[in-house]
Amino acid sequence: MAKGPEKNTKNKALHTKLLNRKKTKLQEVKKEKALRLKALVAKMNQKMNTDELDPK
């Protein structure tokens, strides 16, 4: 007996595509947040170093 076409392959494909987009977007947000935090830490470290070198 021959099987018919698989059901919901179109919906499954669309759902997977949307989930992949969401996952990619979350990864990008996480990377941007990490870069901002890294820049902030570097700026604060630089400020701390200059404050130590220049006592008032």
Side-chain angles (χ1 to χ4, degrees), residues 19-29:
L19 287 180
N20 287 339
R21 274 194 210 164
K22 182 179 177 182
K23 194 184 304 183
T24 303
K25 184 176 180 181
L26 290 175
Q27 286 176 349
E28 289 176 2
V29 169

Side-chain angles (χ1 to χ4, degrees), residues 4-50:
E6 293 204 20
K7 296 180 183 178
N8 288 331
T9 54
K10 185 175 182 181
N11 288 338
K12 287 180 183 178
L14 290 175
H15 184 68
T16 302
K17 185 178 179 182
L18 289 174
L19 287 180
N20 287 339
R21 274 194 210 164
K22 182 179 177 182
K23 194 184 304 183
T24 303
K25 184 176 180 181
L26 290 175
Q27 286 176 349
E28 289 176 2
V29 169
K30 189 175 180 181
K31 284 181 184 179
E32 289 174 3
K33 186 176 180 182
L35 286 175
R36 281 196 305 268
L37 185 61
K38 190 174 183 178
L40 183 63
V41 168
K43 183 178 177 181
M44 292 305 293
N45 285 338
Q46 184 180 12
K47 184 177 179 183
M48 292 291 282
N49 287 340
T50 57

